[in-house]
Amino acid sequence: MTKKNLCLNTHKWPEAIDMDGDGNLYFSDIVAKTLYRFVRDGDGRLQGEEQLLLKGFKHAAGISIDRENELLYFGVRLEGDQVSKILQIPLGLLDRSQEFKYSYKDLKRSVELNPAGLYEYEIGDSRPNGVIFDQKTKNVFYTHENLFLGYLMNKPGYVGDTQGRINQEMLVPNGIHVDPTTEDKTVLVVGQTRTNSILRITMPQVELGKPKRISGVGGRLGAGLDGLFCLENGELLIAGFVSGQILYLPWDGSTYGDPVGIANGLDNPTDLVVGPSSRGADHSESLYVTTLVWWRTFLFPKGKVVEIPDIKARISDKS
């Protein structure tokens, strides 16, 4: 498999990844509790070294970008807070973060003197993992895994939103995305790690459809279902955390087809996004994946961002 490492194995647990309208690539580190960015230069190439944008959080995980309005949504818990929040951060403010020694508190203090669209949505006593912005409703949805209790005692986590309208219980929900093919309604696509299945939730009325267990015997979705990305035609790309695979699932408008591996040997992939190639001029699209070696993570930094080029060709070859 041809792939390109965008950075060295110097991160602790790269968790979520997304791209803005200019092709700049953002990712979070859930253990270091930080936010990073790869900047795309004038000729469309991604620069070779990531920028540290923000740090100083108690918990930091999911990110999602409203590309139209240039806003980044970030699932965090701030130092000293008892509740978690989804931060709404104008991307322009992140260019100024270098002035404040990467501290979110200092960045926030500067905004209090000159309001610029920074906002904090309180979401209660949860640890947001997956985060997704919905362009139709301007709402932000998130998953709370309840990871350890979910596995050990079958205690549910849930899918919530910043408008306080839903609190849908699930067993270890993780990756979350919006199906872009439904024009008259919002359909959330959620990966349920505990049952290794994909669920679909129709909004605004919460109608949890019958789970479509695509996996089952043999772990066909790859052990440890993690992040997912919904393509423009409704098809899915899924990160198999334990199996080290990226899987492709075709969609016919009513059901998903059998998963097909399009990338292997990725250590432990956690999240993924599709966007312009880091090479710039060739106009192809790549898959960008956050990965790590999980069993070394808490002792030594061992995570990175990987680019898998020509993703459309790979999918076409497997279709």
Side-chain angles (χ1 to χ4, degrees), residues 62-83:
I63 60 174
S64 183
I65 295 176
D66 172 4
R67 300 180 182 180
E68 181 177 311
N69 296 296
E70 299 187 327
L71 297 170
L72 181 140
Y73 293 92
F74 194 11
V76 305
R77 182 169 291 186
L78 303 177
E79 292 287 354
D81 277 5
Q82 299 303 311
V83 297

Side-chain angles (χ1 to χ4, degrees), residues 37 89 154 229 247:
R37 174 176 62 187
I89 307 176
N154 283 340
F229 183 86
L247 298 171

